[in-house]
Amino acid sequence: MPFEVKLPDIGEGVAEGEIVRWLVKAGDSVTEHQPLVEVMTDKASVEIPSPRTGKIAALLAEEGAIVPVGTVIISIEVAGEAAAATPAAAAHAPAHGSAPAAPARPASAPAASGKVQAMPAVRALAKELGVALEEVSGSGPGGAITADDVRRAANGASAAPAASRAATTAAPSEKRIPLRGLRRKIAEHMRHSLDTAAHFTFVAECDMTALVQHRERLLPSVKQKGGTLTYLAYLVKALIEPLRAYPLLNARLDDEKPEIVLEPAVHIGIATATEEGLTVPVVHDPASRTLLQVASEIQRLAAAARAGSLKLEELQGGTFTVTSTGAHGGLLATPILHHPQVAILGVHEVKKKPAVVDGQIMARDLTNLSLSLDHRVVDGAVGADFLYALIARLERPDEWLTPEVVG
């Protein structure tokens, strides 16, 4: 019998994973620890290594499928063990790396008696469309019912030719991209956040002139040492005291209890754009780091995010998130909460604009800060007080950025 590789328990709280990309195909020879498949979980994208040396007998899950932890996803013929795959495994083995083929079954025939094989998302779709899964013929691995099977059953067999004609007509003018991996996780998390939290956004202007000057004084020596110093690093350091003073913003809501959980420490998530989509690595305990150490950590995490090499622990434990729109930041935004956190801060472009200072109009470095909050936990007045406390620190950096804090 081939050795069965199950989706492992990847991390605390991870119950399922999405098969993003197979790195091997049936018939390939593999060595122990060689990566087999890329899997996306709620926490991170990880590669699952081979636990044995041998030959791939069959891939038992399609790319894009979401499978529970413990599900057999691949079988390997191990040297010294039975070489031939079981008939069932052979039926599932794809050719040249293609998706596993379904066993031949009569059209419109129901699945074999026993438990219906369908992922939770497929079951939810069937319930939404009023389709009885017991009457659907599965075209997935091992006869599993796919979302397309459910949609075909909901539309009826007579709709298939029309759908085929529509697809043929649309083919020259449209391109379809599967919603997989990180992009699908982003979509799920954003939808869950909007469905769960009571979002509202408060926006205020911040005069960054003094901070810009502080950074300009430090930047030459920082660059000489091969480092970097962004406004984001200043922001992370400035956030610590206001979050301590307003602990409801450094919290999460346990919806099951329900209870508001005040976090004992500050850990700042930094929303980072990558080719695959937005990911949120965490600067852990910035209070224990100097300004320059925070800047270095942000740079390191951003590089790892873009390279796809973030560790699981570097994505966990955030208590508050910052998202920066950079030089093309516009005037304001309404950031979506990084659930189950209750606050996220959007930072926009720092730009010279006319402002009134001591009755005189002069050029100042101004920006807007957009604070989105969960109104179930944070009232508007509390959110406003927090944001103005943060602005006060950003506008007067010399009052708290001592040499020891700068580093």
Side-chain angles (χ1 to χ4, degrees):
M1 293 287 291
F3 180 84
E4 295 182 334
V5 180
K6 299 178 180 179
L7 181 65
D9 186 353
I10 299 168
E12 182 180 356
V14 175
E16 62 185 17
E18 177 191 350
I19 306 299
V20 177
R21 181 168 59 100
W22 283 107
L23 306 176
V24 296
K25 61 182 182 294
D28 283 355
S29 296
V30 294
T31 58
E32 189 173 358
H33 306 306
Q34 177 182 334
L36 297 175
V37 61
E38 180 184 341
V39 175
M40 171 65 67
T41 74
D42 286 337
K43 307 294 184 182
S45 177
V46 295
E47 291 182 349
I48 306 301
S50 176
R52 297 286 190 277
T53 295
K55 182 180 291 186
I56 302 299
L59 308 183
L60 302 176
E62 296 177 342
E63 290 185 349
I66 299 176
V67 297
V69 168
T71 301
V72 178
I73 58 174
I74 189 171
S75 59
I76 301 174
E77 296 175 2
V78 180
E81 299 182 8
T86 62
H92 302 155
H96 305 296
S98 61
R105 312 176 70 174
S108 303
S113 60
K115 185 178 179 180
V116 171
Q117 297 185 59
M119 296 301 298
V122 175
R123 292 178 183 274
L125 178 63
K127 184 177 180 180
E128 177 184 342
L129 298 179
V131 173
L133 290 175
E134 294 79 7
E135 300 176 1
V136 177
S137 175
S139 63
I145 298 171
T146 68
D148 286 340
D149 295 332
V150 172
R151 294 188 186 97
R152 280 193 292 269
N155 294 332
S158 60
S164 178
R165 288 194 299 273
T168 302
T169 302
S173 60
E174 69 178 20
K175 179 181 179 182
R176 292 176 176 261
I177 302 173
L179 192 64
R180 291 179 181 168
L182 182 58
R183 177 53 55 189
R184 176 150 76 177
K185 284 301 173 188
I186 292 171
E188 291 173 354
H189 284 212
M190 295 298 98
R191 185 69 262 168
H192 180 68
S193 181
L194 288 172
D195 289 343
T196 305
H199 281 71
F200 78 100
T201 302
F202 179 76
V203 182
E205 187 178 67
C206 179
D207 188 336
M208 300 276 280
T209 305
L211 191 146
V212 169
Q213 294 169 351
H214 190 283
R215 176 176 176 268
E216 287 175 349
R217 292 196 300 269
L218 289 178
L219 203 53
S221 62
V222 171
K223 286 185 174 180
Q224 191 174 17
K225 297 175 183 177
T228 185
L229 182 58
T230 63
Y231 297 132
L232 203 53
Y234 281 94
L235 190 70
V236 169
K237 287 296 290 183
L239 275 166
I240 297 166
E241 289 306 319
L243 286 173
R244 287 172 173 169
Y246 298 90
L248 282 177
L249 281 87
N250 195 58
R252 58 185 169 86
L253 183 60
D254 187 335
D255 292 291
E256 294 183 2
K257 296 291 185 183
E259 292 175 345
I260 298 171
V261 182
L262 303 180
E263 301 290 357
V266 173
H267 305 296
I268 306 296
I270 306 294
T272 304
T274 72
E275 289 185 359
E276 298 297 322
L278 202 65
T279 189
V280 188
V282 178
V283 177
H284 288 97
D285 195 18
S288 67
R289 304 174 191 258
T290 66
L291 173 67
L292 298 185
Q293 287 171 342
V294 167
S296 177
E297 179 68 353
I298 292 173
Q299 183 183 30
R300 185 189 70 81
L301 290 171
R306 288 189 287 268
S309 60
L310 284 169
K311 299 176 183 176
L312 189 60
E313 58 268 24
E314 293 171 336
L315 291 161
Q316 295 176 327
T319 61
F320 184 99
T321 296
V322 175
T323 178
S324 173
T325 46
H328 302 287
L331 294 176
L332 59 89
T334 54
I336 298 175
L337 296 171
H338 190 51
H339 188 81
Q341 296 171 20
V342 300
I344 182 172
L345 183 69
V347 186
H348 303 282
E349 179 185 9
V350 178
K351 187 175 183 179
K352 283 197 177 295
K353 296 180 181 179
V356 178
V357 180
D358 297 328
Q360 302 294 318
I361 297 177
M362 58 184 65
R364 305 290 288 183
D365 293 292
L366 304 180
T367 189
N368 288 332
L369 302 177
S370 302
L371 179 67
S372 287
L373 301 164
D374 188 340
H375 217 326
R376 299 175 301 167
V377 177
V378 185
D379 290 334
V382 175
D385 288 345
F386 164 84
L387 189 55
Y388 282 118
L390 172 64
I391 288 172
R393 289 174 69 79
L394 294 172
E395 291 186 340
R396 295 187 288 275
D398 289 328
E399 294 182 2
W400 58 278
L401 279 175
T402 63
E404 293 77 16
V405 174
V406 172

